[in-house]
Amino acid sequence: MTESSRRLEDLSGPEIAQRIAESSVIVQPIGAVEQHGPHLPLSVDHVIAHEAAAAVVAEHGDDSDLWLLPTLSVSKSNEHAWSPGTLWLSAETLLAVLRDIGRCVAATRAERLVFLNGHGGNSALLNVACREIRLETGLMTFLVHPFVPPDHGGKSPETTELGMGIHGGHRETSVFMYLRPHLVHLERARRAVPERLAENRYVRFGGLASFGWLSNDFGPDGHIGDPTGANIEEGKLLFETAVALLGEQMAEIAAWDFGRG
């Protein structure tokens, strides 16, 4: 079965009743359209979420009964609202949109809805949405990331980024170079790591004490990390590893039932 045949939007109305079953896992990719410093376009999070979701559905759709929804490109990006061109929804608006999507999915026979999130600024709100939709619709809801943000415990090079490459840094730039090499301007890249935070034990990205921040709190360019050493080869490996890991997560999600029965 081809990847396109597992796009929910490609089914007819009658086919929804025939092909979407209780076992089906509906995958909603969520990205962002926001500044990523001088070396990357606004589309980074949207592209990564879309490509990762399409790849995991193409590779694991039949095994885990995955169905792909259209990517939600505009999300909660107001930490970048200072930068013209960034498109963002308020927390209230995005939560309302996600709840509406949940109600629509609940109108099918599918029992599982997965948010595949490519933008770290959405993470906290998406966890709230998972519980709200669970309560309102009875759907089993899940949140997965192609790459867990470093400020939520994900990886970032310790030597060059001090573990704090959270936005437009080495790993994200490498992955985007693999996916859209013609849109990357590495000659404009520069290191922008908040060195002073590395001295903190708790109040830092990935520390036990979280804090509110805007992307220009750490410099005028708006990226946080060191993209200067990014490369396509590493991006390819990172992306393929992420898709394989997502496939394993989808298999567990497809079998998840809270231990009922």
Side-chain angles (χ1 to χ4, degrees), residues 15 27 37 56 90 106 178 189 223 259:
E15 286 176 322
V27 180
V56 75
S90 68
Y178 168 60
H223 66 291

Side-chain angles (χ1 to χ4, degrees), residues 11-133:
L11 298 178
S12 69
E15 286 176 322
I16 293 292
Q18 297 164 5
R19 301 187 64 182
I20 303 302
E22 289 83 356
S23 62
S24 298
V25 178
I26 310 300
V27 180
Q28 174 65 74
I30 304 175
V33 178
E34 62 186 31
Q35 71 80 30
H36 274 77
H39 59 293
L40 292 173
L42 305 180
S43 61
V44 170
D45 293 348
H46 158 75
V47 167
I48 291 175
H50 175 79
E51 295 291 349
V56 75
V57 169
E59 294 180 24
H60 302 277
D62 289 351
D63 294 337
S64 297
D65 196 13
L66 308 178
W67 292 89
L68 185 65
L69 296 184
T71 300
L72 183 60
S73 298
V74 179
S75 59
K76 185 187 174 298
S77 295
N78 54 347
E79 67 269 34
H80 309 286
W82 59 271
S83 180
T86 293
L87 305 178
W88 58 276
L89 304 177
S90 68
E92 296 81 5
T93 298
L94 180 57
L95 182 59
V97 169
L98 296 171
R99 290 168 71 175
D100 283 348
I101 290 172
R103 283 190 281 269
C104 294
V105 171
T108 73
R109 289 193 295 158
E111 296 182 346
R112 295 166 181 83
L113 171 62
V114 179
F115 295 125
L116 192 153
N117 177 44
H119 169 49
N122 290 330
S123 299
L125 186 63
L126 287 173
N127 274 311
V128 173
C130 281
R131 190 161 293 177
E132 292 295 308
I133 295 168

Side-chain angles (χ1 to χ4, degrees), residues 214-229:
L214 305 178
S215 57
N216 62 341
D217 284 335
F218 303 98
D221 287 341
H223 66 291
I224 304 169
D226 184 1
T228 58

Side-chain angles (χ1 to χ4, degrees), residues 8 12 24 61 77 133 136 163 166 182 185 191 198 218 229 242:
L8 193 79
S12 69
S24 298
S77 295
I133 295 168
E136 292 176 4
I166 68 166
H182 61 290
H185 295 278
R191 188 175 188 273
F218 303 98

